[in-house]
């Protein structure tokens, strides 16, 4: 399928994270942060979906007119390691092919503030991706938001469930804004264009 044409089939953009206020500022929740910003740009509010354990916003991204794309923004309301169930339920409900599914997630092996976009691949130990791949196979897009590695001997699980540091928070709004731009570019103009503009 040519993802740069609007066939009327929506894109499903899943920001990955953990539900609940205690997790809101965690590194693991950067996908939720990007989804929230995209919803704000679309002028929509997240509402619970009737057929999936997720909150969704339906709308369009991209320039007005024929260049805009129909999207379903989603935040799975399961915990991160169960993301595959809600995302697959939404994919089936909206009849979205795999190449129009996008996971927006934190990535340990990329420095904080760096983005990488790709189609398919492994889960790199990320429990949200592991769950999605188990449920639907690996052939979906990923917008990987770098959070860096834990310092010293800190365990990965502790690191991802901590809030961004005070130094990182100074750059966080810019980073989330850039990641949202990258998602919009991917949906509107295709992977190669988005990679050349945003892979840093």
């Amino acid at each position: 399928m040519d993802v740069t044409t609007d066939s009327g089939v929506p894109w499903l953009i899943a920001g990955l994270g953990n539900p609940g206020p205690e997790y809101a500022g965690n590194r693991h929740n950067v996908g939720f942060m990007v989804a929230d910003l995209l919803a704000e740009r679309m002028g929509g509010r997240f509402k619970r979906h009737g057929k999936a354990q997720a909150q969704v916003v339906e709308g369009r991204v991209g320039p007005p007119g024929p260049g805009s794309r129909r999207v379903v923004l989603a935040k799975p309301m399961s915990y991160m390691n169960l993301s595959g169930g809600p995302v697959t339920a939404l994919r089936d409900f909206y009849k979205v092919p795999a190449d129009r599914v996008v996971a927006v997630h934190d990535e340990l092996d990329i420095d904080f503030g760096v983005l990488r976009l790709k189609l398919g691949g492994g889960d790199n130990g990320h429990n949200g991706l592991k769950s999605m791949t188990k449920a639907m196979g690996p052939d979906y897009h990923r917008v990987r938001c770098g959070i860096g590695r834990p310092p010293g001997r800190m365990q990965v699980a502790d690191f991802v469930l901590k809030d961004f540091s005070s130094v990182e928070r100074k750059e966080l709004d810019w980073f989330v804004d850039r990641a949202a731009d990258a998602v919009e570019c991917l949906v509107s103009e295709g992977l190669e264009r988005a990679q050349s503009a945003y892979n840093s």
Side-chain angles (χ1 to χ4, degrees):
M1 178 185 294
D2 180 359
V3 294
T4 60
T5 60
D6 191 2
S7 61
V9 176
W11 285 73
L12 174 58
I13 300 163
L16 302 187
N18 285 310
E22 68 271 34
Y23 298 107
N26 290 178
R27 293 181 176 91
H28 226 15
N29 272 42
V30 70
F32 273 18
M33 297 173 194
V34 175
D36 285 338
L37 179 57
L38 286 166
E40 191 181 307
R41 290 180 180 185
M42 286 162 46
R45 300 183 73 140
F46 279 100
K47 296 188 176 77
R48 189 164 285 280
H49 193 272
K51 300 288 186 185
Q53 191 182 357
Q55 292 183 353
V56 299
V57 177
E58 296 181 48
R60 301 187 81 84
V61 301
S68 74
R69 300 285 175 263
R70 186 177 160 221
V71 299
V72 178
L73 266 179
K75 295 195 296 186
M77 291 289 109
S78 61
Y79 284 96
M80 176 70 88
N81 61 344
L82 300 172
S83 300
V87 176
T88 303
L90 292 170
R91 180 201 65 178
D92 294 346
F93 181 83
Y94 290 102
K95 299 180 171 54
V96 179
D99 64 0
R100 287 193 177 220
V101 176
V102 183
V104 185
H105 64 92
D106 57 303
E107 178 63 66
L108 285 160
D109 284 341
I110 302 173
D111 289 340
F112 172 75
V114 174
L115 292 172
R116 293 269 196 281
L117 288 81
K118 70 174 186 175
L119 174 62
D123 58 57
N124 211 22
H126 191 287
N127 288 331
L129 297 184
K130 199 175 290 185
S131 178
M132 282 183 60
T133 297
K134 185 176 179 185
M136 67 173 71
D139 299 326
Y140 52 90
H141 287 88
R142 298 102 188 278
V143 175
R144 305 158 73 208
C145 304
I147 61 168
R149 302 292 304 183
R153 296 186 177 185
M154 186 187 290
Q155 294 296 311
V156 164
D158 294 332
F159 179 70
V160 299
L161 293 177
K162 278 193 166 26
D163 288 1
F164 287 98
S165 70
S166 56
V167 172
E168 289 168 339
R169 280 198 294 273
K170 291 176 183 171
E171 303 288 333
L172 187 58
D173 285 349
W174 171 85
F175 184 31
V176 169
D177 194 66
R178 184 170 164 79
D181 290 346
V183 172
E184 291 183 343
C185 184
L186 169 62
V187 168
S188 300
E189 301 182 51
L191 180 61
E192 283 187 22
R193 180 64 190 269
Q195 284 175 325
S196 66
Y198 293 98
N199 277 15
S200 45

